[in-house]
Amino acid sequence: SATNVGVYTLTISLSDTDNAEWSDHTTTAITQNWSIGKANPVVTAPTANSLTYDGTAQALVTAGSTTGGELQYSTDGINYSTSIPTATNAGNYTVYYRVIGGSNYNDVAAATVSVTMAKAQGSISVSPNSLSLTGVAGSTGTATLTITGDGTVSAGSSASGVATASVSGSTVTVTAVDDGTATITITLADGTNYLGGTCTISVSVTLTHIYGVLWDKTSTTVLTRTDDAALFSDPTPAIG
């Protein structure tokens, strides 16, 4: 008997050539060649893992199996090994797998499994989340951001005629424009590994307005308001 693939020779001899013979009346030993061919292995495909970014290298698939030969993996379809492929960043991946049959099994051509590593949920918050600005136009207030994420951060105003905002690092600067209220929305965009988010600052602006008149030193009835020249709002009641 034999176990491995190969060509074998079987020799059959008569134990008593004086009293026995083959059907063709000869007594010479008979030889017969026989062979064992390669088998096709039964392959259980690897399965994609459910993944979310956590900053560590994670196995992309759960291992498959084969009844013969060696199961190999690759992420580029060129370089294979028996190690399970891993990835760190969120994204879409293709895992290739194949069987190298070796001496007793046939090779199995490469197939693929698609794997997705989802982005983690990012977060953004601001403190304080409300500002009251007083004084003159151009007065500023600041707030501090706490961010978990890797996307860009931007700020916008619901009423740019009342207040505007800008972001530098973890600091939001709000600039007064005119009396009123506005909502500043700070947006953290989706990044490579994190989803984005938003937070808001409620802003109230109350400016100090100074009004006056100029006397031309000759007229007793004609007065010139200085408020428009000084870019202040019209006074109430009006000065005439």
Side-chain angles (χ1 to χ4, degrees):
S1 65
T3 301
N4 295 323
V5 168
V7 177
Y8 299 90
T9 299
L10 174 66
T11 301
I12 305 173
S13 302
L14 294 172
S15 61
D16 183 0
T17 57
D18 292 331
N19 298 303
E21 62 182 14
W22 303 116
S23 60
D24 62 358
H25 306 296
T26 64
T27 58
T28 304
I30 298 173
T31 60
Q32 180 67 50
N33 293 329
W34 60 284
S35 63
I36 297 176
K38 289 187 176 184
N40 291 321
V42 177
V43 180
T44 300
T47 55
N49 289 332
S50 178
L51 305 173
T52 299
Y53 173 80
D54 65 4
T56 66
Q58 301 182 67
L60 294 175
V61 295
T62 297
S65 63
T66 178
T67 57
E70 182 177 83
L71 187 59
Q72 300 179 343
Y73 306 91
S74 172
T75 54
D76 61 8
I78 299 173
N79 301 294
Y80 282 85
S81 77
T82 56
S83 300
I84 299 294
T86 63
T88 300
N89 291 326
N92 298 316
Y93 296 89
T94 298
V95 175
Y96 300 81
Y97 65 96
R98 70 181 183 184
V99 172
I100 299 300
S103 58
N104 291 317
Y105 291 89
N106 291 314
D107 293 346
V108 177
T112 61
V113 175
S114 296
V115 184
T116 297
M117 184 185 294
K119 295 179 181 182
Q121 180 59 60
S123 65
I124 184 169
S125 61
V126 63
S127 179
N129 59 9
S130 64
L131 290 172
S132 295
L133 301 181
T134 59
V136 298
S139 297
T140 61
T142 60
T144 301
L145 297 171
T146 301
I147 299 171
T148 300
D150 55 1
T152 59
V153 180
S154 60
S157 174
S158 65
S160 59
V162 173
T164 59
S166 61
V167 178
S168 177
S170 61
T171 300
V172 182
T173 300
V174 180
T175 302
V177 178
D178 203 350
D179 293 335
T181 59
T183 298
I184 303 300
T185 300
I186 303 99
T187 301
L188 171 65
D190 292 351
T192 300
N193 292 310
Y194 288 90
L195 298 173
T198 61
C199 60
T200 59
I201 304 172
S202 297
V203 178
S204 173
V205 178
T206 304
L207 301 183
T208 300
H209 297 283
I210 301 174
Y211 304 107
V213 294
L214 288 178
W215 177 38
D216 62 9
K217 297 183 180 181
T218 59
S219 172
T220 59
T221 58
V222 178
L223 300 176
T224 303
R225 292 209 312 258
T226 64
D227 47 293
D228 286 340
L231 301 180
F232 291 112
S233 301
D234 287 339
T236 301
I239 297 175

